[in-house]
Amino acid sequence: MIEISGVRVVYGPGAPPALDDVTLRIAAGECVALVGPSGSGKTTLLRSLNGTVAIAGGSIHVDGVEVAKLRGRALRRLRARLAMIAQQHDLVDRLTVVQNVMAGALGRWSTPHALRFLIAPTAAELAEASAALTAVGIPEKLRNRTNELSGGQRQRVAIARALVQHPTAILADEPIASLDPALGEQIVRLLCDLARERNLALLCSLHQIEVARRHFDRVVELVGGRVA
Ligand code: ADP
Ligand code: MG
């Protein structure tokens, strides 16, 4: 599903490489944790997968397609298939939960469609949001305002939004860094369960190596931009 081969990233002339000869394959339905100290290249690797960070060497294939060759609409289609989950502050507070969840559909909607949804969502759209919220365990929050949610509930909304994207992979960048340990572990378990149930590749960076060992199929450690 994801094939990273000899990847090198250099942010500026004279800078040491942020990624150096990184090779990693992730199959559909496989859960891989990315661990390593701050500055070791975890975010850079996740961003290079969807073409947000350009690579200076090596290659990345997603679903058999080489990411560096994609432009315009093809690149947008790739990004729609790779759902990103960030550490926090990634939802629009002023919107309702259902609106944040359905933002995951923006990649397949026209602008008029998105505007109509904000004013008058259809029963099918509400049902899709409701199904995604059920999958992440908070169906009762559909109509809430997003700023009324706890940190753990917000990450569940971010995961529901990712599901609405119909992704083939989920890329999560320290999704539990701002949660307390017990809550964080529940979110990690949810991500892994969903990836396995839906046959999605999951690449998730995190700091807690014990949590990584308990829930993921493989743990990959980056140190100084290299796989250790
Ligand atoms: P991690 O996510 O593991 O903390 P990062 O991928 O953010 O690591 O960073 C890897 C290295 O690349 C670090 O040395 C960092 O300073 C550098 N870096 C990250 N982003 C940028 C950027 N936009 N411009 C320049 N250097 C960057
Ligand atoms: Mg990072």
Side-chain angles (χ1 to χ4, degrees):
M1 171 51 225
I2 294 175
E3 259 194 278
I4 301 162
S5 184
V7 161
R8 181 179 166 85
V9 170
V10 184
Y11 278 109
L19 292 179
D20 191 7
D21 198 20
V22 171
T23 295
L24 179 62
R25 308 177 97 189
I26 308 172
E30 191 178 23
C31 301
V32 176
L34 201 54
V35 301
S38 214
S40 60
K42 302 181 296 296
T43 297
T44 299
L45 182 60
L46 290 164
R47 288 196 179 146
S48 66
L49 285 172
N50 71 2
T52 324
V53 163
I55 61 174
S59 66
I60 297 175
H61 290 78
V62 174
D63 276 336
V65 177
E66 185 165 4
V67 174
K69 298 219 164 102
L70 299 178
R71 298 282 180 277
R73 180 198 274 249
L75 183 57
R76 286 198 295 278
R77 267 206 306 271
L78 170 87
R79 286 179 179 160
R81 294 206 312 275
L82 297 175
M84 297 288 262
I85 294 173
Q87 185 173 329
Q88 58 178 0
H89 304 312
D90 189 31
L91 304 172
V92 183
D93 270 330
R94 288 175 292 109
L95 296 181
T96 59
V97 168
V98 62
Q99 288 168 333
N100 269 299
V101 169
M102 292 312 287
L106 289 177
R108 55 189 149 96
W109 285 354
S110 63
T111 305
H113 186 150
L115 292 174
R116 194 270 303 139
F117 166 77
L118 284 175
I119 300 159
T122 64
E125 287 159 353
L126 292 175
E128 185 174 7
S130 178
L133 286 168
T134 301
V136 299
I138 50 168
E140 73 284 1
K141 298 296 181 192
L142 187 75
R143 302 284 183 182
N144 279 69
R145 293 192 78 78
T146 304
N147 59 11
E148 295 163 359
L149 302 185
S150 70
Q153 290 168 340
R154 296 172 67 87
Q155 280 309 50
R156 287 175 193 269
V157 172
I159 297 168
R161 181 186 55 192
L163 296 178
V164 165
Q165 242 175 284
H166 303 161
T168 51
I170 294 181
L171 309 176
D173 196 1
E174 301 194 27
I176 64 170
S178 58
L179 304 178
D180 72 61
L183 201 55
E185 191 150 357
Q186 284 175 22
I187 297 292
V188 158
R189 185 180 308 130
L190 174 65
L191 276 171
C192 291
D193 286 349
L194 289 169
R196 291 181 181 119
E197 272 165 27
R198 295 171 189 232
N199 208 34
L200 311 176
L202 171 64
L203 182 60
C204 175
S205 72
L206 71 171
H207 275 291
Q208 303 83 338
I209 192 155
E210 288 313 317
V211 176
R213 285 220 179 88
R214 272 198 289 279
H215 297 282
F216 289 81
D217 301 312
R218 273 190 295 150
V219 180
V220 174
E221 185 184 23
L222 285 180
V223 176
R226 299 183 70 95
V227 175

